[in-house]
Amino acid sequence: MNWVFLILAGIFEMIGVLMINKLHKDRNLISLVLLVGGFGLSFLFLSIAMETLPMGTAYAIWTGIGASGGAILGMVFYGEPRNALRILFIAMVLGSAVGLKLVS
């Protein structure tokens, strides 16, 4: 179950990152609440997951989901570049996260 909490932590990390960009563009209360809520839930689920998962593994996977998810969301919602090398490196980050799960 802690792996589910870790994945949820990564998803809420992505929401927090997305809301940073939205807050810079819109400057409204809803974006701020979603930003704080996203990061707050991210840290909550990360702390729950780390009750049984090793700190290094949990942190690496959490940041991997957040970083790659943020890059993917940037490509989807904000027109950031979608070249093959960028997608390859995102896949490598995700593959490393899967590898860490397999050896944990």
PDB file of all heavy atoms in Angstrom, residues 31-53:
ATOM      1  N   SER A  31      -5.568  29.210  -7.728  1.00  0.00           N
ATOM      2  CA  SER A  31      -4.263  28.655  -8.095  1.00  0.00           C
ATOM      3  C   SER A  31      -3.370  28.518  -6.868  1.00  0.00           C
ATOM      4  O   SER A  31      -2.657  27.513  -6.720  1.00  0.00           O
ATOM      5  CB  SER A  31      -3.583  29.543  -9.134  1.00  0.00           C
ATOM      6  OG  SER A  31      -4.321  29.572 -10.327  1.00  0.00           O
ATOM      7  N   LEU A  32      -3.414  29.503  -5.980  1.00  0.00           N
ATOM      8  CA  LEU A  32      -2.607  29.443  -4.761  1.00  0.00           C
ATOM      9  C   LEU A  32      -3.062  28.305  -3.852  1.00  0.00           C
ATOM     10  O   LEU A  32      -2.235  27.549  -3.331  1.00  0.00           O
ATOM     11  CB  LEU A  32      -2.681  30.776  -4.007  1.00  0.00           C
ATOM     12  CG  LEU A  32      -1.907  30.835  -2.696  1.00  0.00           C
ATOM     13  CD1 LEU A  32      -0.420  30.641  -2.940  1.00  0.00           C
ATOM     14  CD2 LEU A  32      -2.180  32.145  -1.984  1.00  0.00           C
ATOM     15  N   VAL A  33      -4.354  28.145  -3.686  1.00  0.00           N
ATOM     16  CA  VAL A  33      -4.887  27.063  -2.844  1.00  0.00           C
ATOM     17  C   VAL A  33      -4.518  25.705  -3.430  1.00  0.00           C
ATOM     18  O   VAL A  33      -4.110  24.789  -2.702  1.00  0.00           O
ATOM     19  CB  VAL A  33      -6.415  27.211  -2.675  1.00  0.00           C
ATOM     20  CG1 VAL A  33      -7.027  25.966  -2.049  1.00  0.00           C
ATOM     21  CG2 VAL A  33      -6.747  28.450  -1.857  1.00  0.00           C
ATOM     22  N   LEU A  34      -4.636  25.552  -4.745  1.00  0.00           N
ATOM     23  CA  LEU A  34      -4.270  24.285  -5.387  1.00  0.00           C
ATOM     24  C   LEU A  34      -2.774  24.013  -5.278  1.00  0.00           C
ATOM     25  O   LEU A  34      -2.351  22.866  -5.108  1.00  0.00           O
ATOM     26  CB  LEU A  34      -4.721  24.276  -6.843  1.00  0.00           C
ATOM     27  CG  LEU A  34      -6.235  24.194  -7.058  1.00  0.00           C
ATOM     28  CD1 LEU A  34      -6.575  24.359  -8.533  1.00  0.00           C
ATOM     29  CD2 LEU A  34      -6.801  22.902  -6.515  1.00  0.00           C
ATOM     30  N   LEU A  35      -1.960  25.053  -5.356  1.00  0.00           N
ATOM     31  CA  LEU A  35      -0.515  24.902  -5.213  1.00  0.00           C
ATOM     32  C   LEU A  35      -0.180  24.395  -3.811  1.00  0.00           C
ATOM     33  O   LEU A  35       0.525  23.393  -3.654  1.00  0.00           O
ATOM     34  CB  LEU A  35       0.182  26.241  -5.477  1.00  0.00           C
ATOM     35  CG  LEU A  35       1.701  26.248  -5.398  1.00  0.00           C
ATOM     36  CD1 LEU A  35       2.247  27.245  -6.399  1.00  0.00           C
ATOM     37  CD2 LEU A  35       2.185  26.610  -4.022  1.00  0.00           C
ATOM     38  N   VAL A  36      -0.692  25.070  -2.796  1.00  0.00           N
ATOM     39  CA  VAL A  36      -0.412  24.679  -1.415  1.00  0.00           C
ATOM     40  C   VAL A  36      -0.994  23.296  -1.125  1.00  0.00           C
ATOM     41  O   VAL A  36      -0.344  22.451  -0.499  1.00  0.00           O
ATOM     42  CB  VAL A  36      -0.956  25.740  -0.434  1.00  0.00           C
ATOM     43  CG1 VAL A  36      -0.862  25.263   1.003  1.00  0.00           C
ATOM     44  CG2 VAL A  36      -0.211  27.056  -0.605  1.00  0.00           C
ATOM     45  N   GLY A  37      -2.211  23.054  -1.602  1.00  0.00           N
ATOM     46  CA  GLY A  37      -2.830  21.745  -1.402  1.00  0.00           C
ATOM     47  C   GLY A  37      -2.068  20.633  -2.093  1.00  0.00           C
ATOM     48  O   GLY A  37      -1.881  19.549  -1.523  1.00  0.00           O
ATOM     49  N   GLY A  38      -1.623  20.880  -3.318  1.00  0.00           N
ATOM     50  CA  GLY A  38      -0.864  19.870  -4.057  1.00  0.00           C
ATOM     51  C   GLY A  38       0.419  19.487  -3.349  1.00  0.00           C
ATOM     52  O   GLY A  38       0.695  18.299  -3.131  1.00  0.00           O
ATOM     53  N   PHE A  39       1.193  20.497  -2.958  1.00  0.00           N
ATOM     54  CA  PHE A  39       2.453  20.197  -2.268  1.00  0.00           C
ATOM     55  C   PHE A  39       2.202  19.633  -0.871  1.00  0.00           C
ATOM     56  O   PHE A  39       2.936  18.752  -0.416  1.00  0.00           O
ATOM     57  CB  PHE A  39       3.348  21.427  -2.207  1.00  0.00           C
ATOM     58  CG  PHE A  39       4.045  21.717  -3.504  1.00  0.00           C
ATOM     59  CD1 PHE A  39       3.935  22.965  -4.091  1.00  0.00           C
ATOM     60  CD2 PHE A  39       4.813  20.766  -4.134  1.00  0.00           C
ATOM     61  CE1 PHE A  39       4.580  23.250  -5.287  1.00  0.00           C
ATOM     62  CE2 PHE A  39       5.458  21.027  -5.337  1.00  0.00           C
ATOM     63  CZ  PHE A  39       5.339  22.275  -5.910  1.00  0.00           C
ATOM     64  N   GLY A  40       1.174  20.129  -0.191  1.00  0.00           N
ATOM     65  CA  GLY A  40       0.862  19.608   1.138  1.00  0.00           C
ATOM     66  C   GLY A  40       0.500  18.136   1.101  1.00  0.00           C
ATOM     67  O   GLY A  40       1.007  17.333   1.895  1.00  0.00           O
ATOM     68  N   LEU A  41      -0.383  17.767   0.174  1.00  0.00           N
ATOM     69  CA  LEU A  41      -0.753  16.354   0.037  1.00  0.00           C
ATOM     70  C   LEU A  41       0.431  15.517  -0.430  1.00  0.00           C
ATOM     71  O   LEU A  41       0.589  14.358  -0.033  1.00  0.00           O
ATOM     72  CB  LEU A  41      -1.937  16.211  -0.915  1.00  0.00           C
ATOM     73  CG  LEU A  41      -3.278  16.686  -0.344  1.00  0.00           C
ATOM     74  CD1 LEU A  41      -4.341  16.724  -1.438  1.00  0.00           C
ATOM     75  CD2 LEU A  41      -3.713  15.810   0.811  1.00  0.00           C
ATOM     76  N   SER A  42       1.270  16.103  -1.262  1.00  0.00           N
ATOM     77  CA  SER A  42       2.456  15.393  -1.731  1.00  0.00           C
ATOM     78  C   SER A  42       3.356  15.021  -0.553  1.00  0.00           C
ATOM     79  O   SER A  42       3.789  13.869  -0.419  1.00  0.00           O
ATOM     80  CB  SER A  42       3.219  16.262  -2.733  1.00  0.00           C
ATOM     81  OG  SER A  42       4.385  15.598  -3.158  1.00  0.00           O
ATOM     82  N   PHE A  43       3.624  15.993   0.321  1.00  0.00           N
ATOM     83  CA  PHE A  43       4.466  15.716   1.487  1.00  0.00           C
ATOM     84  C   PHE A  43       3.784  14.749   2.455  1.00  0.00           C
ATOM     85  O   PHE A  43       4.441  13.905   3.059  1.00  0.00           O
ATOM     86  CB  PHE A  43       4.846  17.006   2.210  1.00  0.00           C
ATOM     87  CG  PHE A  43       5.911  17.791   1.500  1.00  0.00           C
ATOM     88  CD1 PHE A  43       5.672  19.086   1.078  1.00  0.00           C
ATOM     89  CD2 PHE A  43       7.162  17.246   1.262  1.00  0.00           C
ATOM     90  CE1 PHE A  43       6.644  19.812   0.423  1.00  0.00           C
ATOM     91  CE2 PHE A  43       8.148  17.958   0.606  1.00  0.00           C
ATOM     92  CZ  PHE A  43       7.887  19.248   0.189  1.00  0.00           C
ATOM     93  N   LEU A  44       2.478  14.863   2.607  1.00  0.00           N
ATOM     94  CA  LEU A  44       1.751  13.949   3.492  1.00  0.00           C
ATOM     95  C   LEU A  44       1.878  12.505   3.005  1.00  0.00           C
ATOM     96  O   LEU A  44       2.253  11.607   3.775  1.00  0.00           O
ATOM     97  CB  LEU A  44       0.275  14.342   3.563  1.00  0.00           C
ATOM     98  CG  LEU A  44      -0.624  13.366   4.324  1.00  0.00           C
ATOM     99  CD1 LEU A  44      -0.298  13.377   5.810  1.00  0.00           C
ATOM    100  CD2 LEU A  44      -2.084  13.694   4.087  1.00  0.00           C
ATOM    101  N   PHE A  45       1.598  12.276   1.724  1.00  0.00           N
ATOM    102  CA  PHE A  45       1.683  10.921   1.194  1.00  0.00           C
ATOM    103  C   PHE A  45       3.124  10.408   1.168  1.00  0.00           C
ATOM    104  O   PHE A  45       3.365   9.218   1.386  1.00  0.00           O
ATOM    105  CB  PHE A  45       1.040  10.831  -0.188  1.00  0.00           C
ATOM    106  CG  PHE A  45      -0.460  10.863  -0.154  1.00  0.00           C
ATOM    107  CD1 PHE A  45      -1.167  11.824  -0.849  1.00  0.00           C
ATOM    108  CD2 PHE A  45      -1.182   9.928   0.576  1.00  0.00           C
ATOM    109  CE1 PHE A  45      -2.554  11.859  -0.822  1.00  0.00           C
ATOM    110  CE2 PHE A  45      -2.563   9.948   0.612  1.00  0.00           C
ATOM    111  CZ  PHE A  45      -3.252  10.910  -0.081  1.00  0.00           C
ATOM    112  N   LEU A  46       4.078  11.296   0.919  1.00  0.00           N
ATOM    113  CA  LEU A  46       5.480  10.883   0.962  1.00  0.00           C
ATOM    114  C   LEU A  46       5.856  10.437   2.368  1.00  0.00           C
ATOM    115  O   LEU A  46       6.517   9.406   2.546  1.00  0.00           O
ATOM    116  CB  LEU A  46       6.398  12.017   0.502  1.00  0.00           C
ATOM    117  CG  LEU A  46       7.902  11.732   0.570  1.00  0.00           C
ATOM    118  CD1 LEU A  46       8.280  10.577  -0.358  1.00  0.00           C
ATOM    119  CD2 LEU A  46       8.689  12.988   0.220  1.00  0.00           C
ATOM    120  N   SER A  47       5.425  11.180   3.368  1.00  0.00           N
ATOM    121  CA  SER A  47       5.772  10.800   4.743  1.00  0.00           C
ATOM    122  C   SER A  47       5.123   9.477   5.135  1.00  0.00           C
ATOM    123  O   SER A  47       5.726   8.667   5.842  1.00  0.00           O
ATOM    124  CB  SER A  47       5.384  11.911   5.721  1.00  0.00           C
ATOM    125  OG  SER A  47       3.992  12.034   5.823  1.00  0.00           O
ATOM    126  N   ILE A  48       3.902   9.231   4.668  1.00  0.00           N
ATOM    127  CA  ILE A  48       3.247   7.943   4.951  1.00  0.00           C
ATOM    128  C   ILE A  48       4.010   6.809   4.275  1.00  0.00           C
ATOM    129  O   ILE A  48       4.262   5.762   4.881  1.00  0.00           O
ATOM    130  CB  ILE A  48       1.772   7.973   4.500  1.00  0.00           C
ATOM    131  CG1 ILE A  48       0.970   8.952   5.364  1.00  0.00           C
ATOM    132  CG2 ILE A  48       1.158   6.580   4.574  1.00  0.00           C
ATOM    133  CD1 ILE A  48      -0.424   9.240   4.834  1.00  0.00           C
ATOM    134  N   ALA A  49       4.394   7.019   3.023  1.00  0.00           N
ATOM    135  CA  ALA A  49       5.123   5.979   2.287  1.00  0.00           C
ATOM    136  C   ALA A  49       6.465   5.670   2.937  1.00  0.00           C
ATOM    137  O   ALA A  49       6.911   4.515   2.963  1.00  0.00           O
ATOM    138  CB  ALA A  49       5.321   6.405   0.835  1.00  0.00           C
ATOM    139  N   MET A  50       7.105   6.699   3.494  1.00  0.00           N
ATOM    140  CA  MET A  50       8.432   6.506   4.079  1.00  0.00           C
ATOM    141  C   MET A  50       8.385   5.815   5.439  1.00  0.00           C
ATOM    142  O   MET A  50       9.438   5.528   6.008  1.00  0.00           O
ATOM    143  CB  MET A  50       9.162   7.850   4.179  1.00  0.00           C
ATOM    144  CG  MET A  50       9.622   8.347   2.826  1.00  0.00           C
ATOM    145  SD  MET A  50      10.392   9.970   2.869  1.00  0.00           S
ATOM    146  CE  MET A  50      11.763   9.706   3.947  1.00  0.00           C
ATOM    147  N   GLU A  51       7.191   5.510   5.935  1.00  0.00           N
ATOM    148  CA  GLU A  51       7.119   4.750   7.185  1.00  0.00           C
ATOM    149  C   GLU A  51       7.678   3.344   7.008  1.00  0.00           C
ATOM    150  O   GLU A  51       8.220   2.774   7.952  1.00  0.00           O
ATOM    151  CB  GLU A  51       5.671   4.693   7.687  1.00  0.00           C
ATOM    152  CG  GLU A  51       5.171   6.018   8.205  1.00  0.00           C
ATOM    153  CD  GLU A  51       3.706   5.989   8.605  1.00  0.00           C
ATOM    154  OE1 GLU A  51       3.055   4.927   8.469  1.00  0.00           O
ATOM    155  OE2 GLU A  51       3.213   7.035   9.052  1.00  0.00           O
ATOM    156  N   THR A  52       7.557   2.798   5.793  1.00  0.00           N
ATOM    157  CA  THR A  52       8.081   1.451   5.562  1.00  0.00           C
ATOM    158  C   THR A  52       9.081   1.377   4.408  1.00  0.00           C
ATOM    159  O   THR A  52       9.885   0.453   4.374  1.00  0.00           O
ATOM    160  CB  THR A  52       6.943   0.456   5.261  1.00  0.00           C
ATOM    161  OG1 THR A  52       6.212   0.911   4.135  1.00  0.00           O
ATOM    162  CG2 THR A  52       6.013   0.315   6.454  1.00  0.00           C
ATOM    163  N   LEU A  53       9.028   2.315   3.473  1.00  0.00           N
ATOM    164  CA  LEU A  53       9.962   2.283   2.343  1.00  0.00           C
ATOM    165  C   LEU A  53      11.267   2.966   2.731  1.00  0.00           C
ATOM    166  O   LEU A  53      11.264   3.940   3.491  1.00  0.00           O
ATOM    167  CB  LEU A  53       9.353   2.987   1.135  1.00  0.00           C
ATOM    168  CG  LEU A  53       8.067   2.377   0.563  1.00  0.00           C
ATOM    169  CD1 LEU A  53       7.513   3.255  -0.550  1.00  0.00           C
ATOM    170  CD2 LEU A  53       8.325   0.976   0.065  1.00  0.00           C
TER     171      LEU A  53
END
